[in-house]
Amino acid sequence: MAGETITRQQLSEAVYQEVGLSRNESADLLELVLEKISQTLANGDSVKISSFGSFTIRNKGQRIGRNPKTGEEVPILPRRVLVFRPSQVLKARIGGAGPGELD
Amino acid sequence: MTKSELIAYLAEQNPHLYQRDVERIVTTIFDEIAAALARGDRVELRGFGAFSVKHRESRTGRNPRTGEAVQVAAKRVPYFKTGKQLREMINS
């Protein structure tokens, strides 16, 4: 399975084909979608796209890490991380795994 | 924010577009990403992040209620890695 890499270009081309706006406007709208999602997440709010998945922010507390090379202990500061949880629909479309499996 | 709130925002920013076209734009974007992943492709959106598919081997799981061993089939799961720029935005 030699996977290809899809980028903004193919996504905005799909919008162009589907909706019939100009290529420029299609690209701008894709960018606006990504920007709005990013800003919402930066505000600490989650983003839920039905039948696709949800993006949520998780707060991580401070913990002691270790430099794997030197073995030295270093504090890992509290930070926020983004977690993507795929919806059941997306999981089923990709993995073919039925609902109700152990996870 | 939900998908419909995102659509409402885009419609408000683009008063010259029909609401139904804005809906199709948003649906198309996520549907294209899902289709790419279903084909085994990767979707890389610089600054935002990358969607890919990870392979999980089959394993012997356990029913947590009964303790009974059950075989869990190999599967492919969607995965998202946050882009550098978005990660910095979230932590600033």
Side-chain angles (χ1 to χ4, degrees), chain B residues 17-35:
Chain B
L17 297 180
Y18 290 113
Q19 167 97 10
R20 75 150 199 270
D21 284 342
V22 178
E23 276 174 35
R24 277 167 70 197
I25 290 163
V26 174
T27 301
T28 300
I29 291 171
F30 290 105
D31 207 57
E32 280 298 310
I33 297 174

Side-chain angles (χ1 to χ4, degrees), chain B residues 1 4 12 14-15 22 28 37 39 42-43 50 53 79 87:
Chain B
M1 181 175 72
S4 37
E12 189 188 292
N14 295 273
V22 178
T28 300
L37 294 174
R39 290 194 301 268
R42 178 186 149 78
V43 180
V53 175
Y79 175 74
R87 196 166 56 231

Side-chain angles (χ1 to χ4, degrees), chain B residues 58-70:
Chain B
S58 66
R59 62 188 169 88
T60 308
R62 221 165 257 285
N63 181 327
R65 190 140 31 182
T66 63
E68 185 190 3
V70 279

Side-chain angles (χ1 to χ4, degrees), chain A residues 29-99:
Chain A
L29 276 152
L30 171 61
E31 213 48 53
L32 191 57
V33 166
L34 297 178
E35 266 169 32
K36 182 62 178 172
I37 293 175
S38 302
Q39 280 163 12
T40 304
L41 294 167
N43 289 340
D45 296 327
S46 58
V47 176
K48 288 190 172 73
I49 307 294
S50 62
S51 80
F52 186 78
S54 62
F55 300 87
T56 50
I57 299 292
R58 205 169 280 176
N59 288 299
K60 297 271 191 179
Q62 175 167 336
R63 63 188 170 91
I64 303 298
R66 206 176 270 279
N67 181 329
K69 210 174 300 191
T70 63
E72 184 189 0
E73 286 190 350
V74 277
I76 296 175
L77 298 176
R79 69 211 154 96
R80 302 202 291 174
V81 294
L82 171 55
V83 182
F84 172 67
R85 288 203 57 205
S87 72
Q88 284 303 328
V89 177
L90 183 63
K91 279 193 197 170
R93 194 164 165 188
I94 286 163

Side-chain angles (χ1 to χ4, degrees), chain B residues 37-92:
Chain B
L37 294 174
R39 290 194 301 268
D41 291 347
R42 178 186 149 78
V43 180
E44 193 177 304
L45 303 167
R46 284 281 159 87
F48 183 78
F51 295 92
S52 59
V53 175
K54 292 209 165 178
H55 187 78
R56 297 262 180 275
E57 294 298 336
S58 66
R59 62 188 169 88
T60 308
R62 221 165 257 285
N63 181 327
R65 190 140 31 182
T66 63
E68 185 190 3
V70 279
Q71 199 55 32
V72 181
K75 61 184 170 183
R76 301 192 303 155
V77 294
Y79 175 74
F80 177 74
K81 183 172 194 285
T82 312
K84 192 173 174 224
Q85 201 185 317
L86 180 54
R87 196 166 56 231
E88 283 164 3
M89 250 176 103
I90 286 167
N91 271 296
S92 65

